[in-house]
Amino acid sequence: MSRVVTGGCQCRGVRYEVRGKLRDVIACHCIQCRRTSGHFVAATACRRQAFTLVKGETLKWYVAVPGFRRGFCHECGSNLFFEADGGERVSIAAGSLDEPQGLKIAAHIFASEAGDYYAIDGRVPVSQRGDHNVALP
Ligand SMILES: [Zn+2]
Ligand SMILES: [Zn+2]
C-alpha cells in the first residue's frame, strides 16, 4: 500500500489526502501569490489522480487569471491549492501538510516580481519567469 500524506486548513473545514510522493517545493514570488498569501507561496504538488479532497465544506475557489484557480478556506483564510483548469497537477501549499515530509525548496520562480523587503536564497535555481526543472513525481 502506498504512503498517504494528509493535510488541510487551520480550522479543519478542508482536509485532503495524497497517495504517493510529493514534488519538492517551488517558491513563487509572483504578484498574485504575494498578495493572496501575504508573502510568497511555497507549494508542493502531486498528480491529480493521487489527490483526494476528503472534506471541502469551507473550500472556495478564486480565479485570479482565467484558466487558473486558487483554493482557500473561506472560514479561516488558509491558502491551500493552486491549479490550472483540467491540468494534471494539483499544487498544494506546503504549510498545509500535517507532518514533515522531508521536502525542500528546489526552485524560486517569478523572482522579477518579488517583494523588496526580503532576499531570495540563491542556493537553488532562481528564475525571473515561471520556468523550472523540478520534476513532478
Ligand atoms: Zn479553514
Ligand atoms: Zn505565483
Side-chain angles (χ1 to χ4, degrees), residues 8-14 58-59 72-78 80:
C9 70
Q10 167 68 20
C11 77
R12 301 184 77 86
V14 182
T58 59
L59 178 62
F72 65 98
C73 173
H74 70 70
E75 184 65 29
C76 69
S78 301
L80 294 164

Side-chain angles (χ1 to χ4, degrees), residues 4 12 15 20 24 30 33 44 47-48 52 54 63 68 84 86 90 102 104 110 114 124-125 131-132:
V4 178
R12 301 184 77 86
R15 298 289 302 162
D24 262 335
C30 82
C33 286
T44 181
R47 292 186 190 274
R48 187 167 300 280
T52 305
V54 176
V63 177
F68 189 84
V90 180
K104 295 184 223 42
F110 290 106
V124 297
D131 55 300
H132 63 78

Side-chain angles (χ1 to χ4, degrees), residues 32-93:
Q32 286 120 10
C33 286
R34 293 207 300 111
R35 283 204 194 278
T36 57
S37 70
H39 188 26
F40 61 81
V41 164
T44 181
C46 67
R47 292 186 190 274
R48 187 167 300 280
Q49 64 263 29
F51 179 87
T52 305
L53 186 65
V54 176
K55 191 177 171 205
E57 60 196 46
T58 59
L59 178 62
K60 189 157 182 167
W61 293 96
Y62 173 68
V63 177
V65 176
F68 189 84
R69 63 183 192 163
R70 299 167 173 274
F72 65 98
C73 173
H74 70 70
E75 184 65 29
C76 69
S78 301
N79 277 291
L80 294 164
F81 311 123
F82 316 90
E83 62 180 29
D85 292 347
E88 68 158 340
R89 181 181 69 229
V90 180
S91 294
I92 301 166

